[in-house]
Amino acid sequence: MPGSRKVAAEGWPGVGSQLAGRLARLDIRGPDDLLLHLPLRYEDETRLTPIDACREGVAALVEGEVVSCEVSLRGRRQLIARVRDDSGTLVARWLNFYPSQQRQLEPGRRVRLFGEVRGGFFGDEMIHPRVRNVQTGEALPDALTPVYPTTAGLAQSALRKLVQTALADFNDDELLPAVVQAELGLPSFAEALRMLHRPPPGMAVEALEARTHPAWRRIKFEELLVQQLSLRRAYNARRARNAPRLPSRGTLTATLLERLPFGLTGAQRRAGDEIARDLAEPHPMQRLLQGDVGSGKTIVAALAMLQAVENGHQAVLMAPTEILAEQHWIKLAAWLEPLGLEVAWLSGSRSKREREAAMTRLAAGETLIAVGTHALIEDPVLVPRLGLAVVDEQHRFGVRQRLALREKTVDGSSPHMLMMSATPIPRTLAMTHYADLDVSILDELPPGRTPVATRLVSDTRRDEVIARIRDACAGGRQAYWVCPLIEESEALQLKTAQEAFETLSAALPELRIGLVHGRLKPAEKSMVMNAFVAGEVDLLVATTVIEVGVDVPNASLMVIVHAERFG
């Protein structure tokens, strides 16, 4: 934001530490944050409405003389005042009130009331209206009254005063070129802020509250522009760092392609070429490889890892779960060990001796490829010649976890990063949210893939679903039964999974049924999953522990209970 300045939470001129603490709950830590704390809606106190012209259910500002004011003790204790103007009389009631409010409403005083009018036992009335003492002929506000998001202990009136002070002190130097403003039909940033905080009388608030007004368009444009500029700065900073050049040499990669029992799809070749070009650059690649389940992301990653090895560097692949990491390790080992390459596996389930032996070989540069879970970044693993780090299901890792892979080198250089995800991301969103990433998309499935049919079935037809599972397993296939995510509680998930396991075991006694959930020890979890992969379990009852990357080609049916509970 032009002239942006952040201030510590202990306060700033005109704002003490106590008020600053309340503002901090709204993420307001300085005058500029006040400017960007925009109204939720508006109230029109710029015009007076005669009492007899007030419409039920519509907020209005009325002015008149207090005729009477008393505390009623009939039923609930309440303050009742009658206010009269030239057109009629209005009742105002407060169910919660202070003595100061009663003094404010002494008979004979002139007041303005703002609130919604509704029909009551004594005629038209306002419940808990906003009230202010005025003099006859006192000027009306020259702008609509904004209503802001607020917090306990911070009144709207105090918040409005703070915003108006910040607005008066605002440095309104415009940074957006006039030609861009004109082309997009946008007001200046200062004009947009003043319009949103102080809409003029008679202004139609529908466009403001719907956030379609040009002032709102300018704010949205500003936010997106600042985000893009920030990400572009991050992109440029990344390109300024050094990374090892890993040109495509075509030795090991060519050998692997010759030995594969399948050919690459056009999308895999295209993505592979994009990655190969990036690896040959002297600055770190940061690329997202996006593709649906079964589109062949793993073979593309394997070819990229081989390109690093061809240049004498190491490559690692990190996956979010033990199950997925082990699957990657088995697949990569089957592809790469015939080429004379050892593929290390680092995970929490391996014995301390096995992990230490693998780490020693990695640190010595004897092992060039490793697969692991968080153990890759949590264990004291050194990968001195790390050239490429692949992160599968990248959204499951935090930014710091992904960046921690960079610290595994010993020379301070930055490895190339390839992130993979099966989560579909629209191109426009990818360009906006991942502006510091290059994106490759696998939009083509390998030949022979059967289209997936999705059906929504009422819970009242559960017997039919169970019969469908029985038929599928009788035909030699396997099935999943995925239990719902309940308030993200692992304990409740476990209970649900165990109940489903018992119910299905009773309904399908002829089937071999397994159960896997997050409370199982890694070794137990692996044992059940391995039995399912090997075809020794017909039906797998599971929680979301199996949501990422489980590869069981023989499984032809998945039942997801209460799918609306999942993202």
Side-chain angles (χ1 to χ4, degrees), residues 69 71 77 79 96-106:
C69 179
V71 176
R77 185 174 181 270
L79 180 65
N96 300 296
F97 59 93
Y98 298 98
S100 59
Q101 287 174 283
Q102 189 174 358
R103 292 192 296 270
Q104 190 180 17
L105 291 159
E106 289 177 353

Side-chain angles (χ1 to χ4, degrees), residues 332-353:
L332 288 174
W335 286 338
L336 305 183
E337 287 184 352
L339 305 181
L341 296 173
E342 177 191 357
V343 181
W345 182 36
L346 291 171
S347 76
S349 65
R350 307 208 74 183
S351 69
K352 183 178 179 182
R353 178 180 295 179

Side-chain angles (χ1 to χ4, degrees), residues 231-260:
L231 291 173
R232 182 51 54 174
R233 288 178 65 182
Y235 182 88
N236 291 336
R238 170 168 60 83
R239 293 178 70 88
R241 295 197 304 269
N242 292 324
R245 285 181 180 268
L246 305 174
S248 178
R249 301 189 183 278
T251 51
L252 292 172
T253 51
T255 305
L256 175 61
L257 288 173
E258 289 173 3
R259 293 177 175 230
L260 288 176

Side-chain angles (χ1 to χ4, degrees), residues 282-508:
H283 48 76
M285 172 182 75
Q286 191 133 315
R287 185 171 285 275
L288 174 67
L289 178 61
Q290 178 188 319
D292 199 0
V293 174
S295 60
K297 297 185 295 294
T298 306
I299 186 60
V300 175
L303 291 168
M305 296 170 81
L306 279 183
Q307 187 167 328
V309 171
E310 287 175 343
N311 286 275
H313 282 78
Q314 294 166 293
V316 300
L317 188 154
M318 184 168 72
T321 66
E322 292 252 350
I323 294 171
L324 184 55
E326 185 175 11
Q327 287 186 355
H328 279 307
W329 173 61
I330 292 170
K331 188 170 289 187
L332 288 174
W335 286 338
L336 305 183
E337 287 184 352
L339 305 181
L341 296 173
E342 177 191 357
V343 181
W345 182 36
L346 291 171
S347 76
S349 65
R350 307 208 74 183
S351 69
K352 183 178 179 182
R353 178 180 295 179
E354 288 174 323
R355 285 203 312 273
E356 287 180 349
M359 288 190 289
T360 299
R361 291 194 297 274
L362 268 174
E366 297 170 8
T367 300
L368 297 178
I369 292 180
V371 178
T373 58
H374 298 78
L376 275 171
I377 53 178
E378 292 168 356
D379 282 344
V381 182
L382 279 181
V383 191
R385 300 203 309 277
L386 182 59
L388 172 65
V390 181
V391 181
D392 194 16
E393 295 299 333
Q394 59 90 24
H395 61 281
R396 296 288 298 272
F397 294 97
V399 174
R400 291 186 183 277
Q401 290 175 313
R402 296 198 297 267
L403 295 181
L405 286 172
R406 295 178 183 168
E407 300 171 6
K408 298 302 176 181
T409 61
V410 295
D411 61 0
S413 64
S414 296
H416 298 277
M417 298 283 290
L418 176 64
M419 286 152 281
M420 303 194 296
S421 179
T423 304
I425 305 168
R427 175 173 170 78
T428 49
L429 181 59
M431 291 172 64
T432 301
H433 194 60
Y434 295 108
D436 64 329
L437 295 181
D438 298 302
V439 181
S440 294
I441 299 177
L442 297 181
D443 53 6
E444 179 184 354
L445 289 176
R449 297 278 179 175
T450 305
V452 176
T454 303
R455 298 285 184 269
L456 180 65
V457 181
S458 169
D459 194 52
T460 58
R461 298 171 60 192
R462 184 172 291 226
D463 289 345
E464 295 176 42
V465 174
I466 292 175
R468 178 78 181 272
I469 291 173
R470 180 184 288 109
D471 293 342
C473 294
R477 307 310 292 263
Q478 293 164 275
Y480 295 95
W481 184 284
V482 183
C483 296
L485 180 67
I486 304 175
E487 297 174 354
E488 304 208 6
S489 166
E490 195 174 83
L492 286 174
Q493 271 190 287
L494 173 60
K495 181 175 182 289
T496 305
Q498 287 177 329
E499 289 174 350
F501 175 74
E502 292 166 5
T503 300
L504 291 168
S505 296
L508 299 166

